[in-house]
Amino acid sequence: ADSTKSTTTFALLIIISLLRNTNNNLNDQQKPVSSPALTNLPQQATLCVAATNHLFTKFQTFEHAQCDSILIQLTVAKILVRAQSRYNAPDTMAFSKTRTGNWQEDLAAHEEEVQDFLAKQARGELLSQRMGAGLEAATSRSKLTKSTDGLIHVGDRIQVRHVPSGATVGGLPNPLEFEERVAVTANPQGEQSARNTFVIRAMQDGKKPTPPVGGPVKYGDKIAFCATIPGSGDMFLMSEKLGLSTPASRWAKQQPVFAKFSQAVDTDEDGAEWSRAPSFDAAWEFVYSDQALRFENEGMPVEADKPVLLKHCRTGQCLAVHTQYIWRTEFGAELEVTAHTHLTKFKAEGPENTLMIVTDSSS
């Protein structure tokens, strides 16, 4: 009897071990895929049931064997159900389509977000659309004035170009939102656009008469440079003396040059309306480039496409373009522009201050 009991216990331990291995294999399998190593799991479980029934039939006189066989059969049945549900019907278990959580609210919120996006897209209010529209307005093609006599006149559309680098001075309007005051840089490509095409305006000077529209600009005349940005207005090239309320330029730490939009309007004798400069900080004057001939050229007309200096009237500093300082902007890499007179060892203005007033040179 003792040997029979020990044999039964040993056989039950083997069956339980086999069931444990079968159950572990089911737990380790995460994907409902067919695998040769796992296709025989139901078969192994069936063998366990057969072995349990055989032991129960042969050793049914032992109560512990009967109890153990019932537990084993229940365990095998549970494993068979798991195996069948996982391998024979994977769509109903691993890929259940039952929605959980606040799925109705999430779906409604997503649909509302899509409708809001489509409405903004139809109105042109998306960030990408506003950015594109702003860049397109600032870089819109502009036409320069053709000089028939080789001189510069009041009302001409011109570009201010740095001679050594070929960069064109222009404003940096914000393409996303309107800003009254914007930075000024120099574009190395020199492309003609709205932000770097200026109209020469005459500034009132109590010492000498103001040149009329269409009249030639002379050395020493007070003038302003105005650029028109479609959809934003007219901005004037300006500078201010360094102080507590005026910070220095970003890299060179010199007197800053900026552009400021103006909404004030003046009317000339013919009834035409012109934007008024915000203040006398927008006043500039041309200076002859050669210091030795500067005095005798005072009061002479300024020639187009010739090297000149552009001096700020209020501070006396000349416009300068720095090729060593780069600004990363929405329009690309551009050069820093300041108001500072760079003197050489001969006390003459350096190449940073050498500019040229460019007109339409097409034939």
Side-chain angles (χ1 to χ4, degrees):
D2 294 338
S3 62
T4 302
K5 183 177 179 180
S6 61
T7 303
T8 304
T9 303
F10 180 73
L12 290 175
L13 290 176
I14 293 177
I15 295 174
I16 293 174
S17 177
L18 179 60
L19 289 174
R20 183 181 294 118
N21 293 335
T22 304
N23 191 33
N24 291 337
N25 290 334
L26 284 172
N27 291 332
D28 293 340
Q29 180 64 15
Q30 299 297 331
K31 297 182 180 180
V33 297
S34 178
S35 175
L38 299 174
T39 53
N40 58 348
L41 286 177
Q43 183 180 1
Q44 294 178 7
T46 305
L47 292 176
C48 293
V49 173
T52 304
N53 292 333
H54 176 72
L55 288 174
F56 177 71
T57 302
K58 188 174 182 179
F59 306 105
Q60 57 182 347
T61 55
F62 299 98
E63 295 181 359
H64 69 276
Q66 183 179 3
C67 295
D68 290 341
S69 65
I70 294 175
L71 292 176
I72 291 173
Q73 291 185 45
L74 292 176
T75 305
V76 170
K78 181 179 180 181
I79 294 175
L80 283 175
V81 172
R82 292 183 57 197
Q84 183 179 5
S85 63
R86 177 167 296 188
Y87 294 98
N88 297 339
D91 294 338
T92 59
M93 297 295 292
F95 300 102
S96 176
K97 296 182 180 179
T98 302
R99 296 180 177 180
T100 60
N102 298 329
W103 61 270
Q104 181 65 30
E105 291 79 358
D106 295 340
L107 182 60
H110 177 70
E111 292 179 354
E112 183 179 356
E113 184 179 356
V114 172
Q115 294 299 328
D116 184 60
F117 172 82
L118 295 177
K120 287 184 177 181
Q121 186 182 34
R123 297 192 302 265
E125 297 178 356
L126 295 179
L127 180 62
S128 58
Q129 292 176 323
R130 291 190 289 119
M131 174 69 76
L135 293 176
E136 183 179 359
T139 58
S140 58
R141 188 71 176 178
S142 61
K143 187 176 181 181
L144 303 180
T145 302
K146 185 175 180 60
S147 179
T148 56
D149 54 2
L151 303 178
I152 299 175
H153 307 83
V154 176
D156 286 354
R157 300 174 63 86
I158 55 89
Q159 283 185 318
V160 181
R161 181 172 298 173
H162 184 230
V163 175
S165 64
T168 303
V169 177
L172 287 178
N174 191 338
L176 293 178
E177 58 184 359
F178 175 79
E179 292 182 354
E180 184 180 10
R181 174 170 171 165
V182 298
V184 171
T185 56
N187 184 8
Q189 284 73 30
E191 301 175 353
Q192 297 180 13
S193 60
R195 69 187 186 93
N196 58 25
T197 300
F198 296 95
V199 178
I200 298 180
R201 303 283 177 82
M203 297 283 291
Q204 295 182 358
D205 186 3
K207 299 180 180 180
K208 58 179 68 175
T210 303
V213 177
V217 178
K218 302 177 182 179
Y219 289 105
D221 288 344
K222 305 297 186 295
I223 58 174
F225 295 88
C226 175
T228 302
I229 306 298
S232 298
D234 296 338
M235 63 179 185
F236 287 82
L237 188 68
M238 301 178 63
S239 183
E240 290 180 352
K241 186 177 181 180
L242 289 176
L244 295 177
S245 60
T246 305
S249 60
R250 177 182 296 181
W251 301 118
K253 304 303 178 184
Q254 297 172 356
Q255 181 176 311
V257 174
F258 56 91
K260 191 173 183 180
F261 285 92
S262 176
Q263 305 298 332
V265 178
D266 283 338
T267 305
D268 59 10
E269 299 176 354
D270 298 332
E273 294 184 350
W274 300 86
S275 297
R276 183 193 310 166
S279 65
F280 194 70
D281 288 330
W284 303 80
E285 65 176 295
F286 289 110
V287 179
Y288 198 78
S289 59
D290 191 348
Q291 195 174 30
L293 303 176
R294 186 170 301 169
F295 179 76
E296 59 187 74
N297 281 278
E298 186 71 19
M300 299 295 293
V302 180
E303 297 182 5
D305 303 321
K306 297 292 183 180
V308 293
L309 304 177
L310 191 59
K311 186 175 69 173
H312 190 241
C313 295
R314 173 159 289 180
T315 62
Q317 298 293 329
C318 292
L319 190 74
V321 176
H322 300 272
T323 57
Q324 69 273 29
Y325 298 125
I326 307 297
W327 280 44
R328 305 293 178 183
T329 70
E330 298 88 348
F331 306 94
E334 304 202 351
L335 309 180
E336 186 173 48
V337 177
T338 64
H340 183 79
T341 304
H342 295 264
L343 299 178
T344 64
K345 62 181 180 180
F346 301 106
K347 302 300 180 180
E349 290 78 9
E352 295 86 353
N353 303 118
T354 306
L355 305 174
M356 179 188 297
I357 305 302
V358 181
T359 59
D360 187 7
S361 58
S362 60
S363 57

